[in-house]
Amino acid sequence: DTGVSQDPRHKITKRGQNVTFRCDPISEHNRLYWYRQTLGQGPEFLTYFQNEAQLEKSRLLSDRFSAERPKGSFSTLEIQRTEQGDSAMYLCASSRLDRGDYEQYFGPGTRLTVT
Amino acid sequence: GQQVMQIPQYQHVQEGEDFTTYCNSSTTLSNIQWYKQRPGGHPVFLIQLVKSGEVKKQKRLTFQFGEAKKNSSLHITATQTTDVGTYFCAGERGSTLGRLYFGRGTQLTVWP
């Protein structure tokens, strides 16, 4: 399967702990996106990369959140000092814009539960 | 805050009935995309509309983009149980290309 993969699929952590999620996009895709989705809501944009450059970051994203895509391939999303309000599904998506293909391919997500 | 509004939030129909969901943005969009998310799944791309007044069809699904590029709709004719899921519109603005603003989604339930 050459789709977008995310790891782990589920994470339970205690409040105050740090967590890191990984996303592996489709190999030829140059854009990678992170979203957060809570029950009954649409995906909420967090940030996106074009190759290794982080082009935009949501103002809703506090400084506890950081994302990297060091070699323009996989990406990591880290949440420091987790809070209960961080509990959500974290979705990664990728696309290949240089072919005029705007379709975003989503991964299965990482479900975070902060206790 | 919510950049793209979508209604209704829920829709329950009997198999064979039609279904429509509406999407509205307060600002002009450069394009709008539609995604479907099955229960327990992730969003899957359906279509993208770019031109003012554009209408696209995919079998029983008809997608429209408003003349002012601020609203869009998805209409499903003769729903089937396989249509069950949440349908999201997602708009992209010219000032923030690459960033999608998702609506809250319309959750469709189809009774057999």
Side-chain angles (χ1 to χ4, degrees):
Chain A
D1 189 340
T2 57
V4 178
S5 61
Q6 293 186 244
D7 184 69
R9 296 290 303 276
H10 304 273
K11 179 70 177 178
I12 300 174
T13 191
K14 292 184 178 180
R15 190 176 55 185
Q17 298 294 306
N18 299 343
V19 294
T20 300
F21 309 142
R22 177 180 170 123
C23 171
D24 286 89
I26 294 172
S27 59
E28 65 268 25
H29 284 189
N30 53 2
R31 282 203 170 180
L32 186 148
Y33 311 80
W34 284 100
Y35 294 89
R36 177 172 63 189
Q37 187 176 27
T38 54
L39 196 63
Q41 301 293 325
E44 179 185 21
F45 173 85
L46 295 178
T47 188
Y48 85 95
F49 294 84
Q50 182 155 315
N51 300 313
E52 64 274 9
Q54 188 172 19
L55 295 188
E56 190 170 350
K57 185 177 176 180
S58 168
R59 285 180 291 176
L60 298 174
L61 214 59
S62 75
D63 55 8
R64 296 185 297 106
F65 288 70
S66 63
E68 294 183 343
R69 193 183 184 197
K71 296 182 180 179
S73 56
F74 73 92
S75 175
T76 57
L77 177 68
E78 181 184 17
I79 309 174
Q80 296 181 330
R81 305 181 302 283
T82 52
E83 302 171 357
Q84 287 187 324
D86 297 331
S87 294
M89 177 73 84
Y90 290 83
L91 294 165
C92 175
S94 69
S95 68
R96 181 171 176 170
L97 198 60
D98 57 352
R99 291 194 308 190
D101 182 0
Y102 292 88
E103 175 179 352
Q104 293 189 19
Y105 296 79
F106 282 81
T110 295
R111 181 169 296 283
L112 172 66
T113 303
V114 182
T115 61
Chain B
Q2 198 76 26
Q3 305 282 347
V4 174
M5 304 301 295
Q6 192 173 352
I7 58 168
Q9 189 174 352
Y10 303 98
Q11 187 75 54
H12 307 275
V13 300
Q14 194 152 20
E15 192 172 20
E17 292 182 338
D18 293 354
F19 158 77
T20 305
T21 173
Y22 301 91
C23 190
N24 187 63
S25 168
S26 56
T27 59
T28 302
L29 300 170
S30 61
N31 67 83
I32 195 156
Q33 300 177 26
W34 285 89
Y35 289 79
K36 177 183 179 181
Q37 186 171 24
R38 294 183 184 275
H42 55 272
V44 175
F45 176 84
L46 294 176
I47 208 159
Q48 179 186 255
L49 304 170
V50 179
K51 300 176 183 176
S52 170
E54 189 169 15
V55 177
K56 286 188 176 180
K57 293 190 176 183
Q58 288 180 349
K59 297 183 180 177
R60 295 178 294 105
L61 278 61
T62 302
F63 304 84
Q64 294 187 339
F65 200 10
E67 293 290 340
K69 301 182 74 172
K70 287 186 176 182
N71 56 72
S72 182
S73 65
L74 158 60
H75 180 82
I76 303 179
T77 304
T79 54
Q80 300 174 358
T81 54
T82 53
D83 295 326
V84 164
T86 301
Y87 292 84
F88 294 99
C89 61
E92 196 170 16
R93 305 204 303 229
S95 58
T96 54
L97 281 176
R99 177 174 179 166
L100 281 179
Y101 296 88
F102 276 81
R104 194 173 181 179
T106 296
Q107 185 176 319
L108 174 64
T109 304
V110 180
W111 299 329

